[in-house]
Coordinates of all heavy atoms in Angstrom, one line a residue:
M1 N 52.5 -37.9 92.0 CA 51.8 -37.3 90.9 C 51.4 -35.9 91.3 O 50.8 -35.6 92.4 CB 50.5 -38.1 90.6 CG 49.7 -37.4 89.5 SD 48.3 -38.5 88.9 CE 47.2 -38.3 90.2
E2 N 51.8 -34.9 90.5 CA 51.5 -33.5 90.8 C 50.1 -33.2 90.3 O 49.7 -33.5 89.2 CB 52.5 -32.6 90.1 CG 52.4 -31.2 90.5 CD 53.5 -30.3 89.9 OE1 53.5 -30.2 88.7 OE2 54.2 -29.8 90.7
T3 N 49.3 -32.5 91.2 CA 48.0 -32.1 90.8 C 47.9 -30.6 90.9 O 48.8 -29.9 91.4 CB 46.9 -32.7 91.8 OG1 47.2 -32.2 93.1 CG2 47.0 -34.2 91.8
A4 N 46.8 -30.0 90.4 CA 46.6 -28.6 90.5 C 46.6 -28.2 92.0 O 47.1 -27.1 92.4 CB 45.3 -28.1 89.8
Y5 N 46.0 -29.0 92.9 CA 45.9 -28.7 94.3 C 47.3 -28.7 94.9 O 47.7 -27.7 95.6 CB 45.1 -29.7 95.0 CG 45.1 -29.6 96.5 CD1 44.4 -28.5 97.1 CD2 45.9 -30.4 97.3 CE1 44.5 -28.4 98.5 CE2 46.0 -30.2 98.7 CZ 45.3 -29.2 99.3 OH 45.4 -29.0 100.6
S6 N 48.2 -29.7 94.6 CA 49.5 -29.7 95.2 C 50.4 -28.5 94.7 O 51.2 -28.0 95.4 CB 50.2 -31.0 94.9 OG 50.5 -31.2 93.5
R7 N 50.2 -28.1 93.4 CA 51.0 -27.0 92.9 C 50.5 -25.7 93.6 O 51.3 -24.9 94.0 CB 50.8 -26.9 91.4 CG 51.6 -27.8 90.6 CD 51.6 -27.4 89.1 NE 50.3 -27.3 88.5 CZ 49.5 -28.3 88.0 NH1 50.1 -29.5 88.0 NH2 48.3 -28.2 87.5
A8 N 49.2 -25.6 93.8 CA 48.6 -24.4 94.4 C 49.1 -24.3 95.9 O 49.5 -23.3 96.4 CB 47.1 -24.4 94.4
R9 N 49.1 -25.5 96.6 CA 49.6 -25.5 98.0 C 51.0 -25.2 98.1 O 51.4 -24.4 98.9 CB 49.3 -26.9 98.6 CG 49.7 -27.0 100.0 CD 49.5 -28.4 100.6 NE 49.8 -28.4 102.0 CZ 51.0 -28.5 102.5 NH1 52.0 -28.5 101.7 NH2 51.2 -28.5 103.8
E10 N 51.9 -25.7 97.2 CA 53.3 -25.4 97.3 C 53.5 -23.9 96.9 O 54.3 -23.2 97.6 CB 54.1 -26.2 96.3 CG 55.6 -26.0 96.5 CD 56.4 -27.1 95.8 OE1 55.9 -28.2 95.6 OE2 57.6 -26.9 95.6
N11 N 52.8 -23.3 96.0 CA 52.9 -21.9 95.6 C 52.4 -21.1 96.8 O 53.0 -20.0 97.1 CB 52.1 -21.6 94.4 CG 52.7 -22.1 93.1 OD1 53.9 -22.4 93.1 ND2 51.9 -22.3 92.1
S12 N 51.4 -21.5 97.5 CA 50.9 -20.8 98.6 C 51.9 -20.7 99.8 O 52.1 -19.7 100.4 CB 49.6 -21.4 99.1 OG 49.1 -20.8 100.3
V13 N 52.5 -21.9 100.0 CA 53.6 -21.9 101.0 C 54.7 -21.0 100.7 O 55.2 -20.2 101.5 CB 54.1 -23.4 101.2 CG1 55.4 -23.4 102.0 CG2 53.0 -24.3 101.8
Q14 N 55.1 -21.0 99.4 CA 56.2 -20.1 99.0 C 55.8 -18.6 99.1 O 56.6 -17.8 99.5 CB 56.7 -20.4 97.6 CG 57.4 -21.8 97.5 CD 57.8 -22.2 96.1 OE1 57.4 -21.6 95.2 NE2 58.5 -23.3 96.0
K15 N 54.6 -18.3 98.7 CA 54.1 -16.9 98.8 C 54.0 -16.4 100.3 O 54.3 -15.3 100.6 CB 52.8 -16.7 98.1 CG 52.9 -16.7 96.6 CD 51.5 -16.6 96.0 CE 51.6 -16.8 94.5 NZ 50.3 -16.9 93.9
N16 N 53.5 -17.3 101.1 CA 53.2 -16.9 102.5 C 54.5 -16.9 103.4 O 54.5 -16.5 104.5 CB 52.2 -17.9 103.2 CG 50.8 -17.7 102.6 OD1 50.5 -16.6 102.2 ND2 50.0 -18.7 102.6
N17 N 55.6 -17.5 102.8 CA 56.8 -17.6 103.6 C 58.0 -17.2 102.7 O 58.8 -18.0 102.3 CB 57.0 -19.0 104.1 CG 58.0 -19.1 105.2 OD1 58.7 -18.1 105.5 ND2 58.2 -20.3 105.7
T18 N 58.0 -15.9 102.4 CA 59.0 -15.4 101.4 C 60.4 -15.3 102.0 O 61.4 -15.4 101.3 CB 58.6 -14.0 100.9 OG1 58.4 -13.1 102.0 CG2 57.3 -14.0 100.1
Q19 N 60.5 -15.2 103.4 CA 61.8 -15.2 104.0 C 62.5 -16.5 104.0 O 63.7 -16.6 103.9 CB 61.7 -14.6 105.4 CG 61.2 -13.2 105.5 CD 61.0 -12.7 106.9 OE1 60.9 -13.5 107.8 NE2 60.9 -11.4 107.1
I20 N 61.7 -17.6 104.2 CA 62.3 -18.9 104.3 C 61.7 -19.8 103.2 O 60.5 -20.1 103.2 CB 62.1 -19.6 105.6 CG1 62.7 -18.8 106.7 CG2 62.6 -21.0 105.6 CD1 62.3 -19.2 108.1
K21 N 62.4 -20.2 102.2 CA 61.9 -21.0 101.1 C 61.9 -22.4 101.6 O 62.9 -23.0 102.0 CB 62.7 -20.9 99.8 CG 62.1 -21.6 98.7 CD 62.9 -21.4 97.4 CE 62.3 -22.2 96.3 NZ 63.0 -22.1 95.1

Side-chain angles (χ1 to χ4, degrees):
M1 177 172 77
E2 186 175 67
T3 65
Y5 172 76
S6 65
R7 280 191 307 274
R9 183 179 182 280
E10 188 164 343
N11 289 339
S12 174
V13 167
Q14 288 175 355
K15 286 178 187 174
N16 291 333
N17 196 354
T18 56
Q19 294 175 344
I20 301 171
K21 185 177 180 185

